[in-house]
């Protein structure tokens, strides 16, 4: 956990320890580029629970050439959503891993009402499982466009740069590894627009679903990373308090 998140959270909660809340399943929601992946990594450090990113799991399947990867590859390249049945099955397998016992951070799932209903049903059937709490990260459209189209990754150490906001010292080269930076195939403006369309049509109803259930909070994503993370932590702790 970053020290700023730690100290800020202590100030907010007045606690000596990092957190005594059992986090349970936490769902990070938000449009492409709001920083779900970045925030998930902060929360992993804070609660010591895994990040489950369906985008990362799907990309790994594509890279390995599995049956799922072959089915998903073209769909992902167009910025469309992979069918619920395939994604649900992949998540079900991941949730069987023992590291999910105290909780986990779902990053990029559920993205449709069908996936949300599947997840809620699965958790309701497990007596010991806490229900999902959902936190939506808000960032305005033009800012998202710059974040997505400017994003470059180091293929070796996975450091994420942005050509507009966090450029490397030498153009196109990782500061740490000296490797040539790469752009995700779906981080172009054209594919971004399709991903935003899919978000508005299919994922916005998921936000409304969890809002209606009262297990929902919104945080402003246009702030320094530790401040956003502290906002998510306090939202989750509030949502986990007994009614
Ligand atoms: P992400 O890295 O979360 O932006 O996901 C990259 C791509 O993977 C998306 O544009 C979709 O094609 C696919 N994908 C990731 N998560 C899901 C999901 N929950 N349901 C369907 N498709 C998904």
């Amino acid at each position: 956990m970053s020290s700023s998140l730690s100290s800020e959270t202590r100030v907010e909660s007045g606690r000596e320890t990092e957190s005594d809340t059992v986090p349970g399943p936490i769902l990070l929601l938000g449009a492409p580029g709001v920083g779900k992946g970045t925030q998930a990594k902060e929360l992993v450090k804070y609660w010591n629970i895994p990040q489950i990113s369906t985008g990362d799991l799907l990309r790994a399947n594509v890279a390995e050439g599995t049956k799922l990867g072959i089915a998903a590859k073209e769909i992902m390249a167009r910025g469309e959503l992979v069918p619920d049945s395939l994604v649900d099955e992949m998540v079900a397998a991941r949730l069987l891993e023992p590291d999910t016992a105290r909780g986990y951070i779902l990053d990029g799932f559920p993205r449709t009402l069908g996936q949300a209903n599947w997840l809620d049903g699965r958790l309701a059937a497990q007596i010991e499982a806490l229900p999902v709490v959902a936190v939506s990260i808000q960032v305005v459209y033009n800012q998202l466009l710059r974040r997505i189209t400017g994003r470059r990754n180091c293929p070796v150490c996975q450091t994420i740069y942005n050509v507009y906001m966090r450029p490397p010292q030498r153009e196109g080269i990782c500061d740490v590894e000296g490797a040539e930076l790469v752009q995700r195939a779906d981080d172009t403006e054209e594919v971004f627009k399709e991903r935003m369309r899919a978000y508005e049509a299919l994922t916005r109803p998921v936000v409304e679903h969890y809002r209606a259930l009262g297990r929902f909070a919104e945080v402003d994503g246009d702030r320094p990373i530790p401040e956003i993370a502290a906002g998510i932590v306090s939202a989750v702790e509030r949502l986990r308090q007994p009614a």
Side-chain angles (χ1 to χ4, degrees):
M1 182 185 58
S2 71
S3 55
S4 38
L5 171 57
S6 166
S7 54
E8 214 165 313
T9 306
R10 280 179 205 177
V11 169
E12 282 180 12
S13 65
R15 286 199 190 96
E16 289 303 313
T17 55
E18 283 179 358
S19 174
D20 49 16
T21 303
V22 174
I26 299 168
L27 166 57
L28 289 184
L29 289 169
V34 295
K36 297 186 292 292
T38 304
Q39 287 304 322
K41 287 181 177 61
E42 293 289 305
L43 303 177
V44 162
K45 286 184 264 169
Y46 184 70
W47 274 304
N48 195 23
I49 55 174
Q51 169 190 11
I52 302 178
S53 157
T54 44
D56 285 351
L57 290 174
L58 286 166
R59 278 185 288 279
N61 274 275
V62 171
E64 287 164 25
T66 65
K67 212 171 137 200
L68 169 62
I70 292 166
K73 188 175 178 182
E74 297 301 319
I75 301 172
M76 291 172 73
R78 289 195 299 270
E80 294 168 10
L81 293 188
V82 175
D84 286 356
S85 57
L86 298 181
V87 181
D88 293 350
E89 199 183 320
M90 181 179 77
V91 172
R94 180 62 185 87
L95 293 185
L96 293 176
E97 302 284 330
D99 63 346
T100 58
R102 283 181 59 251
Y104 43 89
I105 297 145
L106 285 169
D107 157 15
F109 181 91
R111 259 184 164 89
T112 65
L113 265 187
Q115 293 175 8
N117 288 329
W118 173 84
L119 180 67
D120 291 350
R122 190 180 190 284
L123 295 174
Q126 287 175 287
I127 298 160
E128 74 284 8
L130 290 169
V132 155
V133 292
V135 181
S136 175
I137 306 172
Q138 308 291 320
V139 175
V140 296
Y141 182 92
N142 283 345
Q143 176 75 351
L144 292 178
L145 184 63
R146 276 163 67 86
R147 288 191 188 188
I148 289 275
T149 58
R151 180 158 66 182
R152 302 290 184 275
N153 294 351
C154 171
V156 180
C157 67
Q158 310 307 329
T159 300
I160 300 173
Y161 297 87
N162 185 290
V163 297
Y164 306 114
M165 292 170 279
R166 188 181 176 245
Q169 281 163 12
R170 279 173 55 212
E171 195 184 325
I173 304 292
C174 176
D175 295 343
V176 185
E177 296 290 340
E180 202 164 320
L181 300 179
V182 293
Q183 183 176 27
R184 258 172 60 174
D186 58 353
D187 275 351
T188 61
E189 183 164 351
E190 193 190 1
V191 179
F192 170 73
K193 286 184 175 154
E194 176 53 34
R195 289 163 71 201
M196 279 303 282
R197 199 202 56 74
Y199 175 78
E200 289 299 336
L202 299 168
T203 311
R204 181 75 70 190
V206 176
V207 172
E208 298 313 323
H209 170 76
Y210 287 108
R211 195 197 300 273
L213 289 174
R215 289 190 261 109
F216 176 82
E218 269 173 357
V219 298
D220 174 6
D222 200 5
R223 290 181 294 163
I225 291 168
E227 276 183 33
I228 305 168
I232 297 173
V233 166
S234 40
V236 169
E237 294 192 332
R238 200 173 54 245
L239 290 168
R240 282 286 176 227
Q241 277 176 10

